[in-house]
């Protein structure tokens, strides 16, 4: 009688849940280890923080999304590759035939005086829920970091709470510095129309209880939210693994270099697309990479050769609130006033597809009821 392979997945983000689902589909015995037992919908956090989307958009219990998976709510304390065992912080030992590391990236912040004491963050579902209570009562909101999260938060708050003066600060010379120019230009136009005060080429010197002091000598009063700074968890879990830009080096099968039975997926891994290009750390890439890693983990445990995957990043979607968004799908931009109205629907469609894949129709209905009920 065939003994189901034992697959252990570390991390319950986009890559982790997809790895667990893919391994289950290959009849593996799957254990998922996650620190808080919830799957965070990270692209939705700004919407929840602004008070626009329902609180249920922030996260969902992993046990609800992944019936059939053994869930261990704990942190990883160590990995014994010789014994093929993982130790948790509370002293449990979990044996595995193959291991998938999908612990994502951890928040980082520079040592700016007052940042840890007086600034809020938007990195977790709990952060979003806390800000949801604070934003409506604020006179001014100071968003530091105009990447995807910061720009979305500024747009959502400005649309939902016009009485709040929103400031968006960015160290680079434009907002959304890692996204295409046309998306950044359109987002800038939308935010300015909503009276968002945008300042680029500035850095924080200090954060106090009343606001932020900048390196040009000016002070911006308000509730300060820090949205920048992430680093891969790769070196924490696998310190001897080679890395690129802090991310674990993996092959096209998602195997970790030098570790035949260990795979990695999502933000923790340096995935490459066509032409060997390093792919961005996005939910879109994590979903595809997680499915690849989970399927190959089961194949390796069964004594089969893993299959190479073709990972790619096909575009960006960034909601800005009030039914507007900017997007680019392949070479096609959705960043003008007309096509920008289609981008939020695309964003919802991507989320619902993810929920359907992981947790089935009940999960999609429960966490995106309004979209699912559309004709």
């Amino acid at each position: 009688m065939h003994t189901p392979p034992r697959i252990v997945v570390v991390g319950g983000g986009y890559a982790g849940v997809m790895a667990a689902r893919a391994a289950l589909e290959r009849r593996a015995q799957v254990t998922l280890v996650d620190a808080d037992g919830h799957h965070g919908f990270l692209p939705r956090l700004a919407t929840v923080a602004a008070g626009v989307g329902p609180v249920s958009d922030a996260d969902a219990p992993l046990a609800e999304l992944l019936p059939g998976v053994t869930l261990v709510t704990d942190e990883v304390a160590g990995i014994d590759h010789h014994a093929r065992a993982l130790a948790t912080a509370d002293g449990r030992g979990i044996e595995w035939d193959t291991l998938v590391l999908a612990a994502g990236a951890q928040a980082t912040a520079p040592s700016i005086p007052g940042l840890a004491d007086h600034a809020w963050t938007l990195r977790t579902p709990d952060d979003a829920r806390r800000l949801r209570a604070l934003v409506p009562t604020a006179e001014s909101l100071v968003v530091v970091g105009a990447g995807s999260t910061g720009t979305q938060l500024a747009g959502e708050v400005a649309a939902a709470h016009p009485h709040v003066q929103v400031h968006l600060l960015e160290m680079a010379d434009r907002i959304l510095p890692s996204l295409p120019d046309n998306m950044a230009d359109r987002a800038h136009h939308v935010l300015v129309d909503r009276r968002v005060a945008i300042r680029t080429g500035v850095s924080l010197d200090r954060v106090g209880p009343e606001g932020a002091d900048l390196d040009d000598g000016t002070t911006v009063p308000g509730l300060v939210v820090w949205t920048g700074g992430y680093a891969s968890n790769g070196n924490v879990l696998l310190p001897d693994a080679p890395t690129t830009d802090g991310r674990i080096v993996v092959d096209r099968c998602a195997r970790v270099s030098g570790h035949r039975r260990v795979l990695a997926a999502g933000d923790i891994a340096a995935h490459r697309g066509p032409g060997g290009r390093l792919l961005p750390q996005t939910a879109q890439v994590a979903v595809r990479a997680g499915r690849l890693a989970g399927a190959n983990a089961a194949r390796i445990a069964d004594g089969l050769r893993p299959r190479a995957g073709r990972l790619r990043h096909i575009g960006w979607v960034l909601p800005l609130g009030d039914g507007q968004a900017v997007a680019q799908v392949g070479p096609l931009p959705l960043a003008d006033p007309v096509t920008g109205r289609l981008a939020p629907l695309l964003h919802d469609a991507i989320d619902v597809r993810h929920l359907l894949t992981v947790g089935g129709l009940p999960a999609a209905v429960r966490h995106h009821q309004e979209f699912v009920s559309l004709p």
Side-chain angles (χ1 to χ4, degrees):
M1 182 175 178
H2 174 69
T3 301
R6 299 167 300 175
I7 311 299
V8 172
V9 179
V10 178
Y14 285 87
V17 296
M18 293 304 294
R21 171 60 62 192
L24 274 180
E25 291 172 357
R26 294 192 62 86
R27 305 181 187 277
Q29 175 185 316
V30 183
T31 299
L32 192 150
V33 183
D34 185 80
D36 65 11
H38 282 72
H39 174 57
F41 303 120
L42 301 187
R44 292 280 176 177
L45 295 187
T47 303
V48 173
V52 180
V55 174
S56 61
D57 266 10
D59 61 1
L62 286 165
E64 172 190 299
L65 293 179
L66 294 167
V69 169
T70 300
L71 177 63
V72 176
T73 304
D74 204 349
E75 295 184 352
V76 175
I79 300 172
D80 186 334
H81 296 278
H82 179 73
R84 293 184 196 162
L86 178 150
T88 63
D90 68 357
R92 276 178 287 186
I94 305 172
E95 296 181 342
W96 45 268
D97 295 312
T98 49
L99 176 67
V100 178
L101 301 179
Q106 62 185 349
T108 61
S111 56
I112 296 172
L115 184 64
D117 296 325
H118 302 297
W120 300 86
T121 58
L122 183 55
R123 292 166 172 153
T124 69
D126 283 342
D127 290 342
R129 286 186 278 264
R130 283 189 285 265
L131 286 173
R132 186 185 184 91
L134 293 170
V135 166
T137 63
E139 294 183 3
S140 175
L141 177 70
V142 184
V143 181
V144 183
S148 297
T149 300
T151 301
Q152 183 183 356
L153 179 63
E156 298 275 13
V157 171
H161 305 285
H163 67 281
V164 178
Q165 174 59 63
V166 180
H167 302 266
L168 181 60
L169 313 179
E170 170 58 43
M171 185 169 59
D173 60 1
R174 69 168 173 91
I175 67 170
L176 300 173
S178 64
L179 269 60
D181 289 346
N182 62 336
M183 290 182 65
D185 292 343
R186 177 58 188 164
H188 190 282
H189 180 75
V190 170
L191 296 184
V192 169
D193 273 356
R194 296 178 185 168
R195 299 189 311 108
V196 175
I198 299 174
R199 296 187 61 181
T200 57
V202 294
S203 300
L204 280 183
D205 259 2
R206 177 183 170 277
V207 179
E210 304 299 326
D213 296 334
L214 307 184
D215 61 353
D216 62 1
T218 60
T219 298
V220 184
L223 178 74
V224 179
V225 180
W226 172 265
T227 66
Y230 284 88
S232 168
N233 280 324
N235 288 120
V236 176
L237 293 174
L238 210 60
D240 64 334
T243 59
T244 295
D245 195 26
R247 297 152 67 182
I248 293 175
V249 174
V250 294
D251 64 13
R252 291 181 59 200
C253 301
R255 291 176 300 187
V256 175
S257 179
H259 294 272
R260 188 170 62 88
R261 288 181 172 265
V262 181
L263 301 92
D267 289 354
I268 199 172
H271 298 296
R272 297 190 179 274
R277 178 173 56 90
L278 190 64
L279 294 174
Q281 292 168 291
T282 65
Q284 177 190 149
V285 172
V287 164
R288 294 171 179 268
R291 177 169 283 281
L292 173 69
N296 276 336
R299 291 182 65 83
I300 292 170
D302 276 332
L304 303 174
R305 292 176 60 87
R307 293 175 176 171
R310 292 186 177 182
L311 301 180
R312 56 193 177 120
H313 183 262
I314 63 173
W316 307 88
V317 183
L318 181 66
L320 296 172
D322 193 28
Q324 296 197 59
V326 291
Q328 181 162 321
V329 181
L332 177 65
L334 302 176
D336 60 65
V338 177
T339 60
R341 292 286 177 176
L342 300 175
L345 296 179
L346 177 61
H347 187 258
D348 277 335
I350 292 169
D351 281 355
V352 171
R353 180 185 178 189
H354 173 63
L355 284 168
L356 286 169
T357 301
V358 176
L361 184 60
V365 172
R366 188 174 297 114
H367 294 284
H368 288 283
Q369 294 181 10
E370 293 183 3
F371 180 81
V372 174
S373 66
L374 287 175

